[in-house]
Amino acid sequence: MSEIADVTTNLFRIPLPVTLTDATHGEMKEFELITVQIRDSEGAKGIGYTYVGQSSAAPIYEIIESYKDLLIGEGAERIEYLWQKMWWALHYSGRGGPVSFAISVIDIALWDLKSRKQNQPLWQFLGGHDPKVKAYAGGIDLYFTIDQLLDQTQRNLNNGFRAIKMKVGRKHLSEDVERVAAMREFLGTDFPLMVDANMGWRTDEAIRAARALSKYEIYWLEEPTIPDDFSGYGRIHKEGGVPIAAGENLHTLYEFQHLIEADGVAFLEPDVTNCGGITTWMKVAHVGEANNLPVTSHGVHDLQVHLLAAVSNKSYLEVHGFGLEDYIANPVKVVEGYATAPDRIGHGVNFNWDALEKYRVQRTY
């Protein structure tokens, strides 16, 4: 068995082409990308990555750096062992948050390394259910005018999407209703339309909003309230009259279990870059399957298409607004509503390091 010989961490701060806004994060002008490259004693390499909002990557970077001594010299293929070793090393001061982000990056790199050494695409290595995955366009468009919203939607339709997500959570519910109504009229009956509140409401507000939006046949209402309120999710799901999607802000397997037990979700939405990596993502998917729940994704679509392609209870792949298409080779494409997991070995996300170099953040903390 090969051993981990080297762990290299990089941090980049990347400007967004358009300032984006949602109900809780305010204006987003840039994001930070953290990458980890793991090399084993035989010279094989694996890449992991995560992203966060502007000026919030420093703690994750430092935790990854602190893990190096735990990793170097260990068996590179013992992923579950290494996951537990990292988890318990910072359990008392961590248990989620930046620790889960840091573990996620390393775990992704380990799975990439392992599947590369088996000469298999990641989706096949993880189970290989079906490489074709339904995909939706995830707009970050809360303060677009209705005309801008519809223009963006038409571009997404022209680019092959057959499902759309829009933001809700404006100051007045009547504004959200007007915008969703316009989208439904534009898209027509039966077209999958998801709406995302980004945790913008209290439980009572979310129930009222869900009821108001239900007549527009929304496919799901995403993150109607804060992720910590499991009982609130149960109430919204039961009383609101629409399916609920949630999980992008849950950072442990146990949190997903609590959400399921509260009957607070119809679509589980783990983000592989913050929930604990591929190891945890697959466990969430299997817990979902055991509870007859589909799994969807959040962010990093070029990677998560592999995970959805690996499992039988997949729903939609989110093609996220924070795309890396300018910085990777062969970004995922959507054709007639579907993305296809690539047949390149590993996860196949190959960064253009030269294009990223000008955005590198020198470690000063």
Side-chain angles (χ1 to χ4, degrees):
M1 180 185 296
S2 65
E3 297 179 348
I4 295 174
D6 184 64
V7 179
T8 303
T9 316
N10 295 297
L11 172 59
F12 307 95
R13 185 172 296 127
I14 300 173
L16 289 165
V18 178
T19 299
L20 303 174
T21 309
D22 67 24
T24 55
H25 299 101
E27 289 191 348
M28 294 167 278
K29 298 181 179 180
E30 60 188 15
F31 68 100
E32 294 182 327
L33 171 72
I34 303 170
T35 68
V36 166
Q37 181 173 270
I38 295 179
R39 178 176 57 84
D40 75 2
S41 54
E42 297 175 350
K45 296 178 182 179
I47 298 290
Y49 61 105
T50 188
Y51 67 95
V52 290
Q54 53 205 30
S55 303
S56 57
I60 302 167
Y61 185 101
E62 291 298 333
I63 291 169
I64 295 170
E65 290 290 292
S66 76
Y67 277 146
K68 287 185 178 180
D69 289 341
L70 296 179
L71 297 168
I72 292 175
E74 294 285 5
E77 296 185 1
R78 297 182 63 192
I79 298 176
E80 183 69 36
Y81 166 75
L82 293 172
W83 196 101
Q84 295 293 334
K85 188 175 184 182
M86 290 186 287
W87 176 254
W88 288 104
L90 294 178
H91 184 268
Y92 186 66
S93 58
R95 295 177 56 236
V99 171
S100 287
F101 277 85
I103 292 174
S104 297
V105 186
I106 294 166
D107 184 84
I108 292 165
L110 289 169
W111 279 103
D112 184 39
L113 172 61
K114 191 170 184 176
S115 55
R116 283 173 182 265
K117 295 195 74 169
Q118 294 297 317
N119 201 36
Q120 286 189 319
L122 181 62
W123 70 272
Q124 287 187 10
F125 187 65
L126 292 173
H129 182 256
D130 183 353
K132 290 189 67 175
V133 181
K134 290 187 294 185
Y136 73 83
I140 305 178
D141 46 33
L142 183 62
Y143 288 103
F144 282 17
T145 67
I146 289 178
D147 285 343
Q148 289 173 320
L149 182 63
L150 299 184
D151 286 345
Q152 173 185 258
T153 300
Q154 185 60 60
R155 289 194 299 274
N156 286 327
L157 296 176
N158 294 344
N159 288 330
F161 288 96
R162 299 297 179 263
I164 301 289
K165 187 174 79 178
M166 61 179 289
K167 298 294 187 182
V168 292
R170 300 275 287 232
K171 183 177 181 180
H172 302 290
L173 179 57
S174 59
E175 297 177 81
D176 287 325
V177 170
E178 180 185 17
R179 291 161 64 80
V180 172
M183 279 286 280
R184 174 51 70 203
E185 182 178 3
F186 182 78
L187 294 171
T189 305
D190 297 329
F191 190 100
L193 172 62
M194 299 84 163
V195 299
D196 185 354
N198 285 109
M199 309 172 288
W201 297 317
R202 300 188 311 269
T203 297
D204 60 308
E205 293 173 324
I207 292 169
R208 178 169 168 255
R211 290 172 174 171
L213 297 174
S214 63
K215 67 180 180 179
Y216 299 106
E217 301 175 21
I218 60 175
Y219 196 84
W220 71 52
L221 170 60
E222 186 172 328
E223 281 205 308
T225 195
I226 58 172
D228 317 86
D229 187 3
F230 299 116
S231 61
Y233 269 92
R235 284 193 58 204
I236 297 164
H237 195 204
K238 293 169 189 173
E239 300 176 34
V242 297
I244 300 298
E248 71 180 70
N249 280 288
L250 301 182
H251 300 314
T252 71
L253 176 64
Y254 314 108
E255 291 173 331
F256 282 94
Q257 180 64 22
H258 293 322
L259 183 61
I260 292 169
E261 289 175 346
D263 192 19
V265 65
F267 294 88
L268 294 168
E269 188 187 14
D271 183 332
V272 69
T273 69
N274 69 34
C275 73
I278 293 169
T279 296
T280 301
W281 196 102
M282 293 297 291
K283 291 176 181 179
V284 171
H286 293 322
V287 169
E289 182 181 13
N291 286 274
N292 199 28
L293 293 173
V295 63
T296 180
S297 68
H298 171 259
V300 295
H301 42 268
D302 297 283
L303 171 57
Q304 295 204 106
V305 66
H306 283 273
L307 308 186
L308 289 167
V311 300
S312 63
N313 59 323
K314 62 179 170 290
S315 175
Y316 278 90
L317 171 75
E318 177 185 42
V319 178
H320 196 265
F322 287 12
L324 291 171
E325 57 272 4
D326 292 335
Y327 309 103
I328 61 175
N330 307 118
V332 70
K333 296 186 183 300
V334 176
V335 179
E336 292 298 318
Y338 285 85
T340 301
D343 57 9
R344 300 184 297 276
I345 63 170
H347 57 52
V349 180
N350 298 311
F351 285 96
N352 183 338
W353 301 108
D354 290 337
L356 284 170
E357 186 58 36
K358 64 182 176 180
Y359 302 120
R360 180 183 295 278
V361 178
Q362 298 299 326
R363 183 184 170 200
T364 59
Y365 37 79

